[in-house]
Amino acid sequence: MALIVHKYGGTSMGSPERIRNVAKRVAKWARAGHQMVVVPSAMSGETNRLLGLAGELAPSKASSEYHRELDMLAATGEQVSSALLAIALQAEGMEAISYTGWQVPVRTDSSYTKARIESIDDQRVRGDLAAGKVVVITGFQGIDEAGHITTLGRGGSDTSAVAIAAAMKADECLIYTDVDGVYTTDPRVVSAARRLHTVSFEEMLEMASLGSKVLQIRSVEFAGKYKVPMRVLSSFTPWDIDLAEEAQSGTLITFEEDEKMEKAVVSGIAFNRGEAKISVLGVPDTPGIAYRILGPVAEANIEVDVIIQNISKDGKADFSFTVNHSDYNRALDLLRTKVVPELGAKEVVGDPNICKVSIVGIGMRSHVGVASTMFRVLSQENINIQMISTSEIKTSVVIDEKYLELAVRALHTAFGLDKPAE
C-alpha cells in the first residue's frame, strides 16, 4: 500500500461531470489499496469571478486589510470544489471527508495573496487515512499565526499538494492537469513541441521560474527540498485507464541525472509574457546603489527578475530590472516618489511590452557555445536583445514582446527540439 497525493487543476474540476470523473479516478486508486489524499483547485474560472466581484467594490487604494479580505473571498472557491469532490466520492461508495487548509491546519506566514507555507499538521489526516477514508484538502490556502485565512498565490494548489506530500512523506505526488506532461515548449506556439518523458528537478525549477505554466515554481522548490517524487499527467485520459499504465504516463520529474538526459543540450524553451522593464537613469555610480534602488522595492513585496547596470560615465550609470506585469505600475510609482528623489537620479522610464525567452538544459553544463547559438539565431531573425541573464543550465533574454513567437519557434528548431527523442 502506498500513500499517494493527487492534485487536480481547475479545468479538471470545471463541471459536475468532470468532478464525477475525478472521483471515479481517485476511487480506482483507492480500491487498488492506496491511501489517497486529494488536493483540488477551485472550479475553472471561479477564482477570477470572485476576484472580479472584489474589483468592482474595491477601495481606491489597496491596503493589507483589503488583501486579507481578498484571501477570505478567494479561499471559498477551493472549499466548494473540495466539498463537491467528497460528495462525488461518497456517491462512488468511498468514505470521504473534505477539509479546508485552516482545518488541517496548513500554517503560513501573513503575506496575504502570496503567503508561504511554514508547517503542516498531518495528525488529523493520518487518522482519517488509517480509518480507510479518502481525504480531500483544499489547495491554495492556509492560516496564519493570528488565525487569518491566507492564500498562496496563483497556482498555489500545486504548492499545497507537494507540501502535503512532503509533510506526509507520500510515495508520489501526481499533478493532474489539462496537458499530458511537460513539453519542450508551449504546443500552442510551436506545433512540433514534444512531451518529455523525464525532466530533471533543476530543469523543471528553471522552466517554472522562467514562465512555464505547467507547475508553480514554489511547488517545484518544495519537491526539490524534500525530494518528493512528482509526476505531471493529464486528467482527460479515460478515468478507467489501466492503473499501471496511468502510473507511468505523463512526465516524471526526476532527481537522478542519467546518461540519456545528458544527450540533450537544451531540453526546453520557456517564455514569459508577464514581465515589464524598468530603468532608473543617471544614478550615482557608488557602492550600495543597487541596494538603495532595490531595497525599497523588496520591502514593498515586489519581486525583481533580470537586473543589469551599465558602465559608469561621468560618475553616473543606468540601472535596469524586470518585474511582474502586475507590479509594474506600483514599482514605477514607488521609484518616482521615494527612491529617485533620494538618489538624485535623472528619471525612471518603463516598458511594459517586453517578454523573456529562455533556453534550459542540464546538458548546457558540458557543452560550449550554446548561448552564442541562441544569440546568432535571434540575430538572424533581426530580434534585438535588451537584457541577458544566465545560470549554469539556462540562458534568458529580454526582447520586444511582438517577437516572442518568432523567437521561440526559431530557437526550438535551432536546438533540434522538433526532432523525435532518441
Side-chain angles (χ1 to χ4, degrees):
M1 183 194 298
L3 171 55
I4 305 291
V5 175
H6 278 197
K7 183 268 173 178
Y8 291 90
T11 311
S12 310
M13 302 292 295
S15 67
E17 185 56 37
R18 287 182 177 176
I19 292 173
R20 190 176 290 114
N21 285 336
V22 168
K24 289 179 182 293
R25 191 183 301 273
V26 172
K28 175 185 70 177
W29 282 75
R31 290 187 182 113
H34 300 301
Q35 290 187 321
M36 297 299 299
V37 176
V38 189
V39 180
S41 295
M43 296 175 74
S44 182
E46 181 63 8
T47 303
N48 286 341
R49 185 186 74 85
L50 293 169
L51 295 179
L53 291 172
E56 291 183 30
L57 301 167
S60 57
K61 191 157 187 175
S63 63
S64 176
E65 290 77 13
Y66 170 65
H67 286 119
R68 179 206 182 271
E69 300 310 327
L70 284 182
D71 279 1
M72 186 77 168
L73 176 68
T76 63
E78 276 71 19
Q79 189 171 336
V80 169
S81 61
S82 294
L84 289 174
L85 180 54
I87 290 168
L89 282 162
Q90 291 165 6
E92 286 295 313
M94 308 300 299
E95 284 192 77
I97 186 168
S98 68
Y99 292 122
T100 62
W102 48 269
Q103 286 176 308
V104 172
V106 177
R107 298 284 181 190
T108 75
D109 62 18
S110 299
S111 300
Y112 298 121
T113 73
K114 42 181 155 181
R116 289 188 172 271
I117 294 173
E118 294 179 342
S119 66
I120 295 175
D121 185 343
D122 62 352
Q123 185 175 355
R124 189 175 193 175
V125 177
R126 287 195 183 279
D128 287 324
L129 292 174
K133 295 178 181 177
V134 174
V135 180
V136 183
I137 302 173
T138 54
F140 179 60
Q141 64 190 254
I143 188 170
D144 71 5
E145 192 176 358
H148 301 300
I149 291 174
T150 58
T151 67
L152 309 180
R154 288 292 182 175
S157 293
D158 288 349
T159 304
S160 299
V162 177
I164 288 165
M168 302 194 68
K169 295 181 170 53
D171 293 271
E172 191 163 50
C173 181
L174 276 59
I175 308 289
Y176 287 87
T177 182
D178 53 0
V179 295
D180 61 351
V182 179
Y183 278 71
T184 50
T185 195
D186 189 334
R188 291 169 295 186
V189 174
V190 181
S191 59
R194 292 183 292 102
R195 178 171 60 84
L196 300 167
H197 296 291
T198 60
V199 62
S200 74
F201 155 72
E202 288 176 279
E203 289 171 324
M204 193 67 243
L205 187 62
E206 290 283 12
M207 288 166 122
S209 69
L210 296 168
S212 171
K213 300 296 190 292
V214 177
L215 290 172
Q216 190 201 43
I217 182 171
R218 278 187 287 166
S219 70
V220 186
E221 289 172 346
F222 254 100
K225 184 175 181 180
Y226 296 103
K227 294 289 188 287
V228 177
M230 210 173 166
R231 186 178 293 273
V232 179
L233 63 173
S234 173
S235 62
F236 294 121
T237 55
W239 68 265
D240 56 354
I241 183 175
D242 181 72
L243 193 143
E245 180 184 344
E246 184 174 359
Q248 296 299 314
S249 65
T251 300
L252 175 67
I253 298 168
T254 177
F255 300 93
E256 300 295 328
E257 296 179 14
D258 58 36
E259 292 178 8
K260 192 172 183 181
M261 292 170 70
E262 287 289 351
K263 288 181 182 177
V265 179
V266 172
S267 295
I269 314 291
F271 59 85
N272 187 3
R273 286 187 172 95
E275 295 200 26
K277 184 173 77 168
I278 295 175
S279 298
V280 185
L281 308 179
V283 298
D285 188 21
T286 56
I289 196 66
Y291 172 71
R292 291 177 67 188
I293 294 172
L294 297 181
V297 173
E299 287 170 12
N301 211 13
I302 297 172
E303 292 184 12
V304 171
D305 187 12
V306 184
I307 304 168
I308 61 169
Q309 181 176 340
N310 71 353
I311 298 171
S312 173
K313 183 179 180 182
D314 300 325
K316 299 284 186 179
D318 297 336
F319 191 93
S320 300
F321 58 94
T322 61
V323 297
N324 190 285
H325 221 290
S326 61
D327 291 323
Y328 174 62
N329 289 324
R330 195 157 59 97
L332 273 180
D333 183 59
L334 173 68
L335 290 166
R336 284 171 176 162
T337 58
K338 292 185 179 179
V339 178
V340 168
E342 292 180 11
L343 291 177
K346 183 180 175 184
E347 63 176 322
V348 178
V349 295
D351 182 0
N353 299 311
I354 56 104
C355 66
K356 183 172 64 176
V357 177
S358 311
I359 56 173
V360 180
I362 55 173
M364 291 170 67
R365 286 185 182 137
S366 53
H367 291 77
V368 297
V370 180
S372 64
T373 299
M374 181 186 199
F375 303 151
R376 174 179 54 78
V377 170
L378 295 177
S379 173
Q380 288 170 346
E381 298 293 344
N382 206 28
I383 298 172
N384 184 47
I385 298 172
Q386 300 179 27
M387 306 170 82
I388 301 170
S389 171
T390 65
S391 76
E392 194 178 25
I393 66 165
K394 77 101 171 43
T395 300
S396 299
V397 296
V398 172
I399 61 174
D400 194 308
E401 186 179 18
K402 66 185 179 185
Y403 296 121
L404 185 147
E405 295 195 8
L406 174 62
V408 171
R409 285 195 292 266
L411 292 168
H412 197 269
T413 299
F415 286 105
L417 297 177
D418 295 347
K419 300 171 185 173
E422 293 180 11

